[in-house]
Amino acid sequence: MNMRKASMHEAGLLSDLSFRSKAHWGSMGIPILAIIVLYLGFSIWIGESARAIVKHAMDNNYNFSTTTAEMTAEVFNKINPQRRGMKSSNYEPANYSSKFTLGLHYFWGGHVWVSHQYETKDTGFKEWVSLDLRLVDGKWKAVNVYIAP
């Protein structure tokens, strides 16, 4: 009988411990979920900023200024078709599209891949643009670019 009471007591302790661990992980789930939601929110923000940067860099009439620009001069010159030496007419926004964006980020910067294409009667291309971004004064600024056709 004593052994039976002891085993029941041990079983009670074990079930109590398993309950505590479930409760502990349940309380940890909310902060973990909040971190995941924040990370995804920042990924969307950085992705939309990257799309806007690539779209602005495509425009020959973009008012580029190094003091207020959302990208460095090097990034602008590497993305802009006319600056890259491509045969291009005036930029027509209706012929431009951005299909897919994937953004990874850390506290002060991030890396984004953007798939975009531009087609006119004279020229056309579809390529992946890979951007390194830094958070500067609450806005994302492209500091480096790699283009894969």
Side-chain angles (χ1 to χ4, degrees):
M1 198 72 125
N2 274 345
M3 286 197 117
R4 191 169 194 192
K5 283 184 180 180
S7 64
M8 289 172 61
H9 181 66
E10 287 173 3
L13 281 176
L14 289 176
S15 66
D16 188 40
L17 287 174
S18 67
F19 174 74
R20 286 184 187 159
S21 66
K22 287 178 187 175
H24 176 72
W25 284 109
S27 65
M28 292 285 293
I30 292 172
I32 291 171
L33 182 62
I35 290 169
I36 291 170
V37 168
L38 281 171
Y39 190 85
L40 290 175
F42 269 84
S43 294
I44 291 168
W45 178 34
I46 197 171
E48 291 300 315
S49 296
R51 279 182 163 182
I53 289 168
V54 173
K55 186 175 182 177
H56 292 157
M58 291 289 297
D59 190 354
N60 296 329
N61 297 321
Y62 176 65
N63 187 13
F64 181 78
S65 165
T66 55
T67 57
T68 61
E70 55 196 347
M71 67 195 96
T72 63
E74 179 186 5
V75 169
F76 180 74
N77 290 334
K78 284 184 177 180
I79 296 175
N80 186 278
Q82 195 172 40
R83 301 275 176 110
R84 288 178 8 194
M86 293 177 144
K87 178 185 173 189
S88 67
S89 55
N90 289 334
Y91 173 74
E92 299 170 24
N95 297 331
Y96 175 80
S97 67
S98 171
K99 299 289 184 193
F100 179 77
T101 304
L102 175 63
L104 302 174
H105 62 88
Y106 38 92
F107 294 107
W108 57 89
H111 192 84
V112 183
W113 294 269
V114 178
S115 168
H116 75 126
Q117 67 182 35
Y118 183 71
E119 292 185 49
T120 65
K121 62 180 180 178
D122 300 344
T123 187
F125 57 86
K126 180 177 184 177
E127 59 193 5
W128 281 93
V129 176
S130 176
L131 295 168
D132 287 327
L133 302 175
R134 300 285 180 264
L135 193 57
V136 178
D137 297 327
K139 294 182 181 179
W140 294 105
K141 181 174 184 166
V143 294
N144 195 12
V145 64
Y146 173 76
I147 299 173

